Amino acid sequence: MKKLSVRLRITLLYTFFMTVLTAASLFLLFSLSSREVLTSTGAELEEEVHESVEELTIQNGEVRVDSDFYSLEKGVYLALYDEQGYFLYGRVPYGFDVQPEFEAGNLRKLNDRQKKWFVYDQFFKVDGENAVYVRGVTSITDVEEKFYVTMRIALLSLPLMLVVTVLAGFYFTGRTLLPVKQMTSAVKKIREEENLSGRIGLEGHGRKDEIYVLAETFDEMLAQVERLFRREKQFTSDVSHELRTPVSVILAQCGALLEDETLTDRQKEQIDLIRKKASGMAEMISELLFLSRADEGRQTLHKERLNLSELTEMAVEEQKLLAEEKGLCRTFELQIAPEVYARADESYYIRLLVNLLENAVYYGKENGVVKVTLAKNGKKIEGIVEDNGIGISEEDLVHIWERFYRADSARSTDSHSGLGLSMVKWIVEAHGGTIRAESRLGEGTRFIFEIPE
Ligand code: ADP
């Protein structure tokens, strides 16, 4: 199941609690009110009967009733009976079929087939021997029905309230979480652009709430990371500078020693080994210096209109010779369109090709094929360097552009420090182009770069 957003989850959660709470309150309210309504209806009935009894008078030995005895106040029907239970005067509600015995002063609840009733009787002494009864009747069913109508209206308005709550809740939660959205997109941008100097900066947010504090903490952390990163780069650059001279001296001294005729072959072999290692170090130092200059923005391009077809053929030819010198058997297949021109920096373009070709040869198979393609594709130049060598696994493929990353470090030697592709990427991007790699482990790798003409 797809994960619900925080916004939706908060809305649903409090809508659920609101609904439960409202429903419980309504239930409590209705059950209490229904009891209260019944009690007050009974009390009203008693009051009406008492009042009407008080207003009874005797004239010439006969009972006289007040004029509003007949007037049905508060839904109370009043009727006058003699002691034997004969109806004398007044009104009995339609449908009141039960005629219970008289029980003065006792509020009773009676049911007939259709309705429920409250009945209350009171007697009035006419003279020493005779008395009359006043009976008050009111319909409980009518009162309850009125009450149920109110309850139904309230229950029907509940879904409407729910919709309003959901919509309002969704809107306000969205507004509250807006800074989180801003933070996410700011951090995403920083990551995509690999720009550690970027900040979230929620100043416009106004209030200093928890989200603001979180963003502020995040910005502080970014500043710290940026400082550390800069320090680390500075350290790499300083070390490279410091090492450049001693390594050059070692190389020069090795060269001089190798000329010395008095040395034995064994000694010369050992010095040659030192020279090879030192030359690997010199290569790495030069790559590191290249990248630190690039980081500092001090690496400048001298673009000119170049015949890339010629340069590519030359670079391949050179790599062919070097591979042969190293005793590596590779077949080079060229598909280079003639007269492909572009505005590029010559030394950088050669460096780019050399790196890709060296890798294709080095990570290629014995008797493997290195295929180089160059063609014009609209306003872009497309170059492909492809081999059928060891390939790169899917997990490694995303990391190969990182500095010092080596997919197979056991195989890589001193001269393969994992800096080559970082340089390649920088060169292509500095020319306003893009580069990507496609590979299958054990089958081969293809690097495709595009630069504007
Ligand atoms: P390195 O100097 O170690 O070759 P790169 O930056 O040129 O460093 O390459 C990084 C890593 O990418 C290499 O260590 C290697 O594992 C992998 N790689 C580069 N090119 C190829 C290739 N053509 N075939 C297989 N793996 C390659």
Side-chain angles (χ1 to χ4, degrees):
M1 200 179 83
K2 199 171 167 272
K3 275 207 161 181
L4 297 179
S5 68
V6 174
R7 184 184 187 184
L8 202 61
R9 261 188 292 163
I10 294 178
T11 312
L12 288 179
L13 200 74
Y14 83 70
T15 307
F16 171 74
F17 282 118
M18 272 279 289
T19 315
V20 171
L21 219 72
T22 315
S25 315
L26 279 179
F27 176 76
L28 207 73
L29 190 80
F30 282 131
S31 54
L32 287 179
S33 322
S34 97
R35 213 174 304 157
E36 178 58 31
V37 164
L38 283 184
T39 315
S40 71
T41 310
E44 272 170 7
L45 173 66
E46 284 180 22
E47 198 183 309
E48 281 298 304
V49 172
H50 282 295
E51 270 175 21
S52 64
V53 169
E54 272 166 26
E55 280 162 15
L56 287 178
T57 49
I58 299 165
Q59 261 181 21
N60 304 328
E62 277 187 17
V63 179
R64 297 260 167 220
V65 295
D66 187 55
S67 58
D68 41 346
F69 197 85
Y70 214 78
S71 67
L72 197 70
E73 264 184 45
K74 296 176 185 164
V76 174
Y77 289 82
L78 292 170
L80 194 70
Y81 296 86
D82 70 9
E83 256 177 320
Q84 281 72 43
Y86 285 110
F87 175 81
L88 299 174
Y89 183 73
R91 290 170 67 175
V92 180
Y94 178 76
F96 182 67
D97 299 332
V98 277
Q99 277 298 350
E101 291 286 310
F102 288 100
E103 278 183 31
N106 184 16
L107 181 70
R108 281 171 292 165
K109 212 171 171 182
L110 299 172
N111 290 355
D112 65 12
R113 267 168 290 132
Q114 290 157 3
K115 287 189 168 181
K116 288 189 276 179
W117 308 95
F118 265 142
V119 179
Y120 186 72
D121 302 326
Q122 198 57 270
F123 72 85
F124 175 74
K125 275 209 172 297
V126 181
D127 50 39
E129 285 161 23
N130 298 316
V132 286
Y133 280 97
V134 174
R135 165 161 285 174
V137 181
T138 191
S139 161
I140 298 176
T141 314
D142 288 353
V143 174
E144 278 181 344
E145 250 162 35
K146 265 186 218 156
F147 182 71
Y148 289 145
V149 168
T150 325
M151 196 162 102
R152 236 169 277 149
I153 291 172
L155 285 179
L156 284 176
S157 63
L158 194 67
L160 194 79
M161 237 171 67
L162 212 77
V163 172
V164 174
T165 313
V166 169
L167 291 180
F170 197 64
Y171 172 73
F172 285 111
T173 320
R175 276 192 57 155
T176 314
L177 292 178
L178 198 66
V180 176
K181 229 177 170 178
Q182 283 175 10
M183 275 174 66
T184 313
S185 60
V187 174
K188 253 190 194 158
K189 203 169 154 218
I190 291 170
R191 208 193 57 198
E192 274 163 16
E193 294 175 359
E194 292 179 6
N195 172 22
L196 281 177
S197 58
R199 296 288 179 268
I200 297 166
L202 274 190
E203 279 86 17
H205 182 47
R207 304 173 302 261
K208 278 215 166 195
D209 56 17
E210 293 92 328
I211 299 176
Y212 178 87
V213 175
L214 176 68
E216 216 174 34
T217 316
F218 222 88
D219 276 347
E220 280 163 17
M221 195 190 73
L222 274 172
Q224 202 174 356
V225 171
E226 193 192 4
R227 269 199 306 278
L228 288 174
F229 213 68
R230 214 178 287 153
R231 211 181 295 161
E232 188 252 4
K233 279 188 175 162
Q234 189 58 45
F235 173 76
T236 317
S237 164
D238 292 349
V239 169
S240 316
H241 270 109
E242 293 302 321
L243 286 178
R244 201 161 55 159
T245 321
V247 171
S248 313
V249 173
I250 295 171
L251 274 174
Q253 293 300 317
C254 287
L257 276 171
L258 284 172
E259 304 281 305
D260 189 343
E261 296 298 327
T262 60
L263 294 181
T264 63
D265 283 352
R266 171 94 183 106
Q267 285 169 326
K268 279 190 179 173
E269 249 173 53
Q270 286 168 335
I271 292 165
D272 195 43
L273 186 66
I274 297 172
R275 192 187 56 83
K276 273 190 189 143
K277 295 282 173 190
S279 123
M281 274 174 76
E283 172 77 10
M284 190 169 104
I285 289 167
S286 125
E287 287 176 347
L288 275 174
L289 283 172
F290 178 99
L291 288 169
S292 359
R293 272 200 296 274
D295 287 341
E296 289 161 13
R298 287 195 292 118
Q299 204 70 271
T300 43
L301 267 67
H302 302 287
K303 282 192 190 171
E304 52 191 326
R305 206 169 124 79
L306 296 178
N307 185 336
L308 297 188
S309 309
E310 268 180 16
L311 276 177
T312 311
E313 271 173 26
M314 266 166 50
V316 173
E317 220 35 62
E318 202 181 305
Q319 287 306 311
K320 215 191 249 181
L321 290 174
L322 281 171
E324 276 167 22
E325 260 176 39
K326 287 180 192 159
L328 299 169
C329 193
R330 304 282 187 273
T331 309
F332 285 83
E333 280 180 13
L334 301 189
Q335 269 184 17
I336 296 177
E339 305 297 310
V340 175
Y341 282 90
R343 278 187 58 75
D345 182 303
E346 188 173 339
S347 66
Y348 286 165
Y349 182 74
I350 291 174
R351 209 163 185 163
L352 150 77
L353 273 183
V354 167
N355 266 295
L356 293 180
L357 287 167
E358 265 180 4
N359 280 349
V361 171
Y362 186 74
Y363 299 105
K365 281 188 189 132
E366 192 56 17
N367 297 320
V369 179
V370 176
K371 202 167 150 189
V372 182
T373 313
L374 187 80
K376 204 164 165 233
N377 194 352
K379 287 215 164 286
K380 286 177 179 164
I381 314 295
E382 188 185 71
I384 304 173
V385 178
E386 195 176 343
D387 64 72
N388 59 350
I390 60 166
I392 306 167
S393 71
E394 217 172 298
E395 303 92 74
D396 287 324
L397 201 58
V398 281
H399 299 292
I400 56 171
W401 311 103
E402 292 167 14
R403 290 176 196 184
F404 293 110
Y405 191 85
R406 290 181 298 178
D408 185 1
S409 47
R411 196 187 150 118
S412 298
T413 56
D414 307 332
S415 56
H416 287 264
S417 51
L419 290 169
L421 287 181
S422 310
M423 275 194 332
V424 165
K425 193 166 192 302
W426 185 88
I427 294 171
V428 174
E429 285 173 359
H431 279 86
T434 55
I435 182 160
R436 64 181 198 277
E438 295 168 358
S439 188
R440 265 172 184 270
L441 201 60
E443 289 183 21
T445 309
R446 180 190 293 152
F447 286 94
I448 304 142
F449 65 86
E450 276 186 344
I451 52 171
E453 62 173 356

